[in-house]
Amino acid sequence: MQKQTNLQQNRQLFDRWAKSYDKAVFQFWMRKFYAQATAELQLNPKTKVLDISCGTGELLKSLQGKAELYGIDISEEMLKAAKKKLGRKVKLLKADVHRLPFEDNFFDYAMTTEAFHHYYDQPSALKEMVRVTKNGGKIIVADINFFLKPVHWLFQKIEPGCVKVNSKKEMKKLFEEAGLRNVKQKRNFLFAVMTVGEK
């Protein structure tokens, strides 16, 4: 029941947000998440990259022509915007991170930016990301982090669909428990932390 409520809240939130998601003020914030995450990628035309919770496709747009690109989102409205922007060269699907519609060991990189705090079962979501990533591939999670637990608690209360904002230590533990190696973390701007692990 909680799972369905969370999915419904997030679909409604991001369906409503889709029309204004690309406005300059918000994309200034989002580009801060994207920049550090995409800097981790070593790309060629055969590299397979999955952007989970891809929104209107801005991150994928920045990678067009450099790799084989895939994006998923639970919001139909976000995907409509992404399809208009990206055309047919990027494979876009409506899907939930907890049940990724891809075979094992398919991607070189699986990444999510500014969305992990919305996932209703974060360990399960991370395990799915690991499942679809090749051995030697990387998992990248860039998500909000406000330094202090009370601020995280408050954010969880006020943002619709928010499940849990992790501390750096909590995120590193999730990665290690998912079996990821060489876990590294970096504060990519004031209110975000990127965690990267190798399968």
Side-chain angles (χ1 to χ4, degrees), residues 132 144 171 179 190:
V132 301
I144 55 173
M171 187 62 77
L190 190 58

Side-chain angles (χ1 to χ4, degrees), residues 133-149:
T133 302
K134 298 173 184 177
N135 290 330
K138 288 184 178 178
I139 311 297
I140 303 168
V141 175
D143 203 19
I144 55 173
N145 180 286
F146 302 107
F147 297 98
L148 301 172
K149 282 188 178 182

Side-chain angles (χ1 to χ4, degrees), residues 24-188:
V25 172
F26 188 67
Q27 282 306 317
F28 171 80
W29 165 274
M30 290 303 296
R31 278 192 288 273
K32 299 290 187 181
F33 285 87
Y34 301 157
Q36 291 290 344
T38 56
E40 285 292 320
L41 308 178
Q42 295 182 345
L43 303 177
N44 64 60
K46 293 184 179 180
T47 306
K48 291 185 173 72
V49 178
L50 174 62
D51 183 13
I52 299 163
S53 306
C54 65
T56 59
E58 278 296 301
L59 185 152
L60 290 166
K61 183 181 176 184
S62 74
L63 301 177
Q64 273 192 298
K66 300 175 184 176
E68 190 175 326
L69 303 175
Y70 297 74
I72 69 152
D73 206 287
I74 60 167
S75 165
E76 289 182 14
E77 295 303 315
M78 287 286 190
L79 288 170
K80 282 180 189 175
K83 285 173 183 175
K84 284 182 185 176
K85 187 181 296 181
L86 300 169
R88 296 182 181 181
K89 292 185 178 179
V90 177
K91 297 168 184 72
L92 297 169
L93 297 168
K94 183 180 177 184
D96 176 7
V97 63
H98 303 85
R99 293 183 300 279
L100 293 172
F102 304 104
E103 62 190 58
D104 296 356
N105 307 308
F106 188 74
F107 293 100
D108 297 285
Y109 299 95
M111 59 198 307
T112 181
T113 55
E114 220 272 317
F116 198 81
H117 59 284
H118 285 277
Y119 299 159
Y120 62 79
D121 185 343
Q122 293 175 345
S124 174
L126 196 56
K127 284 176 185 174
E128 270 293 273
M129 293 173 72
V130 172
R131 179 186 67 77
V132 301
T133 302
K134 298 173 184 177
N135 290 330
K138 288 184 178 178
I139 311 297
I140 303 168
V141 175
D143 203 19
I144 55 173
N145 180 286
F146 302 107
F147 297 98
L148 301 172
K149 282 188 178 182
V151 182
H152 290 176
W153 178 85
L154 181 62
F155 194 87
Q156 287 162 197
K157 295 294 181 187
I158 63 175
E159 187 184 42
C162 181
V163 175
K164 178 172 174 53
V165 179
N166 291 284
S167 68
K168 282 181 72 175
K169 186 176 179 181
E170 287 168 334
M171 187 62 77
K172 185 175 182 183
K173 185 179 178 185
L174 282 170
F175 268 57
E176 289 171 346
E177 288 177 348
L180 292 164
R181 300 177 292 115
N182 302 321
V183 177
K184 63 179 183 177
Q185 295 181 293
K186 184 176 184 180
R187 184 164 289 281
N188 60 354

